[in-house]
Amino acid sequence: MKMLQSGETLGVPDLRSWYAYCFLRRTAGVSVHMRVVVFGATGVVGRRAVPLMIREGHRVTAVGRSPDRLSILSNQGAATVALDLFDRDAIKRAVGDHEAVVNLATAIPRSSFGMFFRRAWKENDRIRKNFSALVVDETLAARARVFIQESFAPIYVDSGDRWITEEGAIRPVPYNETTLDAEVSAERFARQGTRGVVLRFAYFYGPHDRFTGDVFGYVARGWLPLLGSPDAYFSTCHHDDAATAVVAGLNLPSGTYNVVDNEPMTHRQFGGALRGIVGVPMPRTPPQWLVPLTGSMGETMARSLRIWNAKLRQFGGWTPQHATARAGWESAYKSFRVEGRD
């Protein structure tokens, strides 16, 4: 089950003209302004992407579940809406006459330990399967021009040291298999509407992030919390870079795009980088026999995924803020030190 690729023309009658138009607008420093509604706007990526869109001149409606975070986005210039994600009438009103609809809604388990239990992903599954379909229904009915769907890059098969492009084979596991349901909804929009864009995000990290803090904490205690071979590649994405990718997505042609750091590291390289960043001895890695005991979450983490971001850089003009994954993690650690959480 694959999403559309950049060379396909579903819903885009003259793709080369669209490329040329967007390229000229970017080189001239001009953005294609739109009315944009962002579902999941109060999440870790949404609350960073919304202000960036406003700064570029887009008129943004932020939809979320946190009144406090919606208030912050309102103060930054966004219209805000709080709603039940499974209320079709409310979704219809929120989509309204917006030209672009961005779906970043998720329900990631709050506990890093809890993530290893299948039942912890039940609400996230419901959002990716049912809500994504509902919002595409209403986006098509409203005749919007663009639909952007968040997705998850580590669904690719273990590929050793080979670079993984968007054409790479995928193999979801039980805890993330509804990722494909969300992607299929975006493909349905691309086939019936205009532009359907899927952004496959790697593992997130950054300031004020539980996973990032857990990684630094384990490394400080002598362990690298990554399952699998020391030579397996681990692809990550800084929150800020994920947000700029969402903004770039507004001007992308239909297709799937990997959103990852430049230069993914192996587990061994990652441990070495964190050793230098945190200032501790080289952390140990968990034994290989532990992988089968950790379910589908552990199996996914153990894969070697050297994911390539060239397509997004080429077609979206996207450049990660941090030149390498090491630079991004070093920046994140400095933020945790400032917060006093090291």
Side-chain angles (χ1 to χ4, degrees):
M1 199 177 298
K2 293 181 65 177
M3 256 303 293
L4 307 176
Q5 305 302 323
S6 64
E8 297 183 76
T9 58
L10 294 176
V12 188
D14 189 347
L15 198 55
R16 281 179 290 188
S17 295
W18 176 257
Y19 291 158
Y21 173 67
C22 290
F23 175 76
L24 291 172
R25 299 276 293 192
R26 284 200 306 270
T27 55
V30 179
S31 177
V32 181
H33 297 162
M34 286 185 278
R35 297 183 302 279
V36 185
V37 59
V38 181
F39 292 91
T42 58
V44 68
V45 176
R47 63 179 181 262
R48 289 170 167 82
V50 167
L52 295 178
M53 293 178 184
I54 293 171
R55 198 174 305 161
E56 287 204 355
H58 300 294
R59 292 170 53 192
V60 183
T61 299
V63 181
R65 290 172 285 187
S66 169
D68 291 342
R69 289 176 179 171
L70 283 175
S71 178
I72 293 171
L73 294 176
S74 177
N75 292 336
Q76 293 173 326
T80 60
V81 176
L83 54 72
D84 178 348
L85 291 180
F86 302 99
D87 183 335
R88 182 181 290 273
D89 290 337
I91 294 169
K92 181 177 182 177
R93 290 192 297 271
V95 170
D97 65 348
H98 291 90
E99 299 165 284
V101 177
V102 180
N103 182 19
L104 302 176
T106 58
I108 305 302
R110 294 183 180 277
S111 164
S112 296
F113 178 72
M115 289 183 176
F116 287 91
F117 295 93
R118 180 69 185 87
R119 63 179 179 274
W121 295 90
K122 184 177 179 180
E123 184 65 11
N124 196 61
D125 287 342
R126 188 175 175 225
I127 289 173
R128 282 193 167 142
K129 183 173 183 176
N130 300 330
F131 173 70
S132 295
L134 279 175
V135 76
V136 164
D137 288 344
E138 299 307 326
T139 303
L140 285 168
R143 299 183 181 276
R145 293 162 47 194
V146 185
F147 180 77
I148 298 175
Q149 172 65 50
E150 68 78 34
S151 188
F152 187 53
I155 58 174
Y156 291 112
V157 301
D158 187 310
S159 299
D161 63 357
R162 299 186 302 278
W163 284 103
I164 300 172
T165 68
E166 291 78 0
E167 290 74 29
I170 58 176
R171 191 177 75 235
V173 294
Y175 92 93
N176 61 35
E177 60 191 358
T178 52
T179 299
L180 291 190
D181 292 294
E183 291 197 2
V184 166
S185 291
E187 180 176 350
R188 178 162 60 91
F189 180 83
R191 291 186 180 280
Q192 299 182 42
T194 49
R195 290 186 290 119
V197 173
V198 168
L199 298 177
R200 282 183 179 163
F201 295 112
Y203 292 104
F204 285 146
Y205 70 96
H208 319 294
D209 177 69
R210 180 186 61 248
F211 168 73
T212 308
D214 286 348
V215 169
F216 290 136
Y218 277 110
V219 169
R221 294 192 293 272
W223 288 96
L224 181 67
L226 295 182
L227 298 167
S229 167
D231 296 318
Y233 278 87
F234 182 60
S235 293
T236 56
C237 179
H238 194 284
H239 298 152
D240 292 341
D241 292 326
T244 58
V246 172
V247 179
L250 294 172
N251 294 321
L252 285 170
S254 290
T256 302
Y257 298 84
N258 292 331
V259 187
V260 301
D261 285 328
N262 293 331
E263 301 180 22
M265 295 180 284
T266 64
H267 293 190
R268 193 191 315 276
Q269 292 168 339
F270 189 47
L274 292 178
R275 173 189 63 181
I277 292 169
V278 180
V280 295
M282 185 69 176
R284 293 165 290 174
T285 56
Q288 297 266 23
W289 57 260
L290 194 60
V291 175
L293 304 180
T294 55
S296 62
M297 177 80 176
E299 191 274 325
T300 301
M301 185 179 288
R303 295 178 184 179
S304 181
L305 301 175
R306 193 183 189 188
I307 302 172
W308 203 16
N309 62 18
K311 183 178 175 183
L312 180 58
R313 287 188 281 113
Q314 177 184 357
F315 292 112
W318 177 76
T319 303
Q321 176 182 334
H322 305 286
T324 64
R326 180 193 171 95
W329 281 88
E330 186 170 6
S331 173
Y333 185 66
K334 288 178 180 177
S335 297
F336 275 84
R337 290 291 301 273
V338 169
E339 295 170 15
R341 295 180 58 183
D342 58 321

